[in-house]
Amino acid sequence: MRTGPCEWPLNTAYCKGWDAIDEAARAAATDLATEILWALSGRRYGVCPTTVRPCRRNDHDAWLRLERWLPLSYGSLAVAFCGCVGHICSCSSSGCELSLPGPVHAVTRVLVDGAVVPAAAYAVYDRRWLVRVDGKCWPDRQDLTVADDQPGAWAVTYERGVEVPAGGKIAAGHMACELAKAMVSDNTCRLPRRVQSLVRQGVQQTFVDPAQLAKDGMTGLPEVDQWLRVVNPHRLPRDSVVWSPDLDRGRRRTS
């Protein structure tokens, strides 16, 4: 669902002349800086607003068991109902909990048959499970041909992702600052140049190859690279996941 960072605030307090740079260049630099840091930090930071239309599958649809939800954009499918129909599906107590594509930062709103479910009626565990705690369960089925706020439908709107830490906001501010300077040909830009060695008036300067920096998961800006080394020391492309049947399966309430 998500292919890039959604909400990554910048701290540009340490960028001299940021407000004087062309607004279009600042906007483009912000998008590029957050996209780069989102990828280099392991694709774990940034909070995205997300809406899903949960859909329970019947037990005979084995090839669909791994997907228990449908994005809102799929609502135009020519499918009248989904979930338990007649005697072909066993609707068990598992309908009292819903696995959301996570990590779940916060649940904004839950609609069932056009009515808002009170926040006290559910809780989020392990940044993934949306669990009813009022003694009720989630609907067994819904009509995907109607809007999410109509009778027969239900939808969950939530914020997905991990909030950017303070260091990430500062790093993104530095990155955006230098990118914006490069876009307007400001000679104070500190981004690495393609030239690797330069001799001028008897003084030799050696530059780091930007292509090698990218390969190493770095940017060439000390402030930014220090933060990247802290949050992603092994330069992983995304968060790793460990699962074992021997691990404690106890849940932790996260919101």
Side-chain angles (χ1 to χ4, degrees), residues 8 29 32-42 167-168 170-179 182 189-194 207-229 231-232 235:
W8 192 307
L32 184 55
T34 55
E35 185 79 16
I36 291 173
L37 292 190
W38 172 74
L40 294 182
S41 61
I170 295 174
H174 280 292
M175 189 73 186
C177 178
E178 302 307 324
L179 287 171
C189 174
R190 297 186 296 129
L191 289 175
R193 305 175 184 178
R194 277 211 168 272
F207 302 93
V208 180
D209 183 5
Q212 184 61 43
L213 283 171
K215 184 178 180 181
D216 294 338
M218 296 290 115
T219 66
L221 298 175
E223 307 91 332
V224 178
D225 292 343
Q226 287 176 6
W227 179 76
L228 289 173
R229 290 190 182 96
V231 299
N232 194 14
R235 295 174 293 188

Side-chain angles (χ1 to χ4, degrees), residues 79-97:
V79 178
F81 289 92
C82 69
C84 302
V85 181
H87 64 280
I88 64 174
C89 172
S90 173
C91 297
S92 64
S93 59
S94 61
C96 302
E97 56 188 41

Side-chain angles (χ1 to χ4, degrees), residues 24-100:
R26 282 184 288 154
T30 297
D31 291 341
L32 184 55
T34 55
E35 185 79 16
I36 291 173
L37 292 190
W38 172 74
L40 294 182
S41 61
R43 294 174 170 83
R44 65 169 67 93
Y45 297 116
V47 176
C48 304
T50 304
T51 298
V52 295
R53 295 280 296 268
C55 179
R56 292 190 65 189
R57 307 294 190 179
N58 69 62
D59 290 343
H60 297 282
D61 293 334
W63 64 280
L64 290 173
R65 287 178 185 173
L66 296 180
E67 184 172 347
R68 295 178 176 268
W69 57 273
L70 290 175
L72 182 61
S73 58
Y74 287 5
S76 60
L77 288 177
V79 178
F81 289 92
C82 69
C84 302
V85 181
H87 64 280
I88 64 174
C89 172
S90 173
C91 297
S92 64
S93 59
S94 61
C96 302
E97 56 188 41
L98 171 68
S99 175
L100 293 172

